[in-house]
Structure formats: C-alpha cells, structure tokens
Amino acid sequence: MSQRPLLIAQISDLHIKQPGELAYRRVDTAAALRRCVATLNRFTPRPDLVVISGDLADTPLAAEYDHLKELLAALEIPFAAVPGNHDNREMMRAALPGLAYAQTRGALNSVRKVGDVDVVLLDSSVPGAAHGALEAETLGWLDAVLGASDTRPALLFLHHPPFVTGITHMDVQNLRNADDLAALIRKHPRARLVAAGHVHRATLTSFAGIAATICPAPNHAVALDLDGHLPPSFNIEPPAFHLHAWFPGEGFGSVVTHTVPTGDFDGPHPFHGEGGRLL
C-alpha cells in the first residue's frame, strides 16, 4: 500500500487550569499540553486534523478557556473539539467560536470533511453531571449526517465511552444511552470508528460491530483498578495521544489506531548499516 493514509490525531482530557494552578494540586496540565502540541507540530507526516475529545478546561472557568486558547495558539494543525463533563458549553462556544458547531445553541456537535472522510463530533456532555448522554436532537442530527452519504467513511468522536472498561468509578459515568448510538451505527455502515476520552487511558474494544477506542491523556492517567481496591485515583504515567490512520480500500476502507507518546525520546536509529547488514 503506497498511498499515504489520512491521519486524525486525537488528544483528550486536557484539564487546563488558570495560569500557575495545578490540577488536583499535583498535575501541571498546561506544561503537559505544551509538550503534546510540540510533539504534534513536529510529527511526520503531519496529521490532517486534531480532534480534542472533551474536558478542555477543568473547573470550568472563563479564565481557564482563555489559558487554553493561549496554549492551543501554538498548534500548527487545524483542530476541532467537543466538550466533556468538566466543560461548560456556553463558555466553550464563546472561547472557540470558529469551530463551526452544527447548532447555534445547546449541544456542540460538528462535522468536518477531511479528504474522503467525515469526522463527526458528538456532544455527550450533560450539563451539571459527570455521566454522558446523547440528547434526542443530537441523535436526530447524527442520523441525518450519517444518512447524507453512502460512500464516505465516518469516524465518530465523543467524550464518554459507550462501553464499560472495568474501572467501576469511571464506568458509572459512561454514556447512558449507548444503545441509541449503537442502533445508528448499525443503521449506517459507513461509521468505521467510535473514539472516546474521559478515562485517561489507551483502551481498545469493539462497539456495535466496529472498532472503539479511548484516548490516553497528555497529563495524568486514571489508575487501572479492575477490582475496586482503590478509591478513585490517578497515576502519573507516560503521556500519549492517539493517531487514527484511515486507509482507502474495499468498502469504507480501514482504520488503524496508533498510541503515540508525547515528549522527547532517543532515536530513530537504523537497524541496518552499510550494505544492509544488521547492526
């Protein structure tokens, strides 16, 4: 396969505070986002779009969104964003008015045409709550968007995972009406990926017959507690983002997701020297 894939980078759960403040009195989320942006800017080949899948701010406060805009100003790649449970729809709409939301009020849904692919962002936030749900208006909008083509693959992004992870205190906050989303995915086979955030961990499963992922965070990770022996906790683990590569091919093509660490690392080093000999 010689054709370059279409690349959608996904970052999630930025939790930006006001300048000088730490999340949970321990995590410098602004420094983490700076490292992430620097990694994205120098990545080769450059992604076609960056999707931010929720929790852009932390509290949220207008000053946090102001800080976020300053940090994202360094990003040299177009981006789209959808809110999470830590966000405020009105504040986010005011801070990022150029993101071409589908509705003028309420849910911040949007769709981006990137080459031969439709990138669909679904607002799963429930004002004042930690869990997620897709409103009836959002479901109707998604049905219409997916029904508008039978040739273009669609990649779906939202904040709340529509599946359980085994981390109990996070699973009670996931997408409450996942069955409604599953029904639309089965109705419209051009949907090829569901990509979520919220859990701060790289996770892979299937949902409604297609690949489903959770994006890791650039800052802190929810502890991988699968037997409930911990209170809700986080670890400082290696930060990363997801790079979704869509390859054209039979039907609606194929999607491969890579987990990309952020920061500076030694390499790349060749495996072979002159004459093709293994080093």
Side-chain angles (χ1 to χ4, degrees):
M1 181 177 297
S2 59
Q3 185 172 347
R4 174 195 181 279
L6 185 145
L7 300 176
I8 306 297
Q10 180 189 5
I11 63 177
S12 196
D13 297 272
L14 312 183
H15 288 272
I16 296 303
K17 304 289 286 184
Q18 297 183 77
E21 290 190 9
L22 302 179
Y24 309 105
R25 297 182 293 180
R26 185 177 295 271
V27 185
D28 190 340
T29 55
L33 180 55
R34 289 189 190 98
R35 289 191 295 269
C36 183
V37 167
T39 301
L40 286 164
N41 284 342
R42 66 172 180 260
F43 193 87
T44 304
R46 177 162 286 188
D48 299 283
L49 179 71
V50 175
V51 172
I52 310 174
S53 54
D55 284 359
L56 285 73
D58 187 62
T59 306
L61 299 169
E64 293 176 347
Y65 286 106
D66 289 340
H67 194 197
L68 170 75
K69 287 194 296 182
E70 294 174 3
L71 296 166
L72 289 178
L75 181 62
E76 299 169 0
I77 306 165
F79 72 89
V82 68
N85 55 291
H86 279 255
D87 289 305
N88 176 281
R89 286 175 173 174
E90 289 72 28
M91 289 181 186
M92 183 170 159
R93 188 186 294 273
L96 303 170
L99 294 189
Y101 306 112
Q103 291 87 24
T104 58
R105 63 182 62 188
L108 303 186
N109 305 308
S110 64
V111 60
R112 290 287 192 95
K113 295 185 179 299
V114 185
D116 294 329
V117 172
D118 289 341
V119 177
V120 183
L121 283 78
L122 302 169
D123 184 350
S124 61
S125 66
V126 177
H131 70 270
L134 298 175
E135 298 171 357
E137 184 179 9
T138 293
L139 291 167
W141 174 82
L142 176 61
D143 191 17
V145 166
L146 293 179
S149 173
D150 58 5
T151 59
R152 293 174 60 86
L155 310 182
L156 311 185
F157 292 84
L158 73 169
H159 182 66
H160 296 84
F163 54 85
V164 298
T165 65
I167 305 173
T168 304
H169 72 95
M170 297 302 298
D171 288 340
V172 298
Q173 302 176 19
N174 66 4
L175 190 73
R176 294 284 173 88
N177 58 341
D179 287 348
D180 293 331
L181 177 60
L184 289 178
I185 289 171
R186 293 190 176 101
K187 178 181 177 181
H188 300 286
R190 75 185 186 104
R192 305 307 303 144
L193 172 73
V194 175
H198 191 51
V199 185
H200 293 232
R201 302 202 66 87
T203 307
L204 171 66
T205 187
S206 61
F207 173 76
I210 64 174
T213 61
I214 297 173
C215 184
N219 35 55
H220 53 286
V222 171
L224 187 57
D225 176 19
L226 298 177
D227 63 3
H229 71 282
L230 294 173
S233 306
F234 66 91
N235 296 333
I236 305 300
E237 297 181 9
F241 63 89
H242 269 167
L243 187 69
H244 305 289
W246 175 80
F247 296 89
E250 183 179 355
F252 294 102
S254 59
V255 181
V256 175
T257 297
H258 299 271
T259 299
V260 183
T262 65
D264 297 309
F265 303 93
D266 192 21
H269 302 290
F271 286 112
H272 299 88
E274 293 184 10
R277 292 186 301 171
L278 188 65
L279 295 175

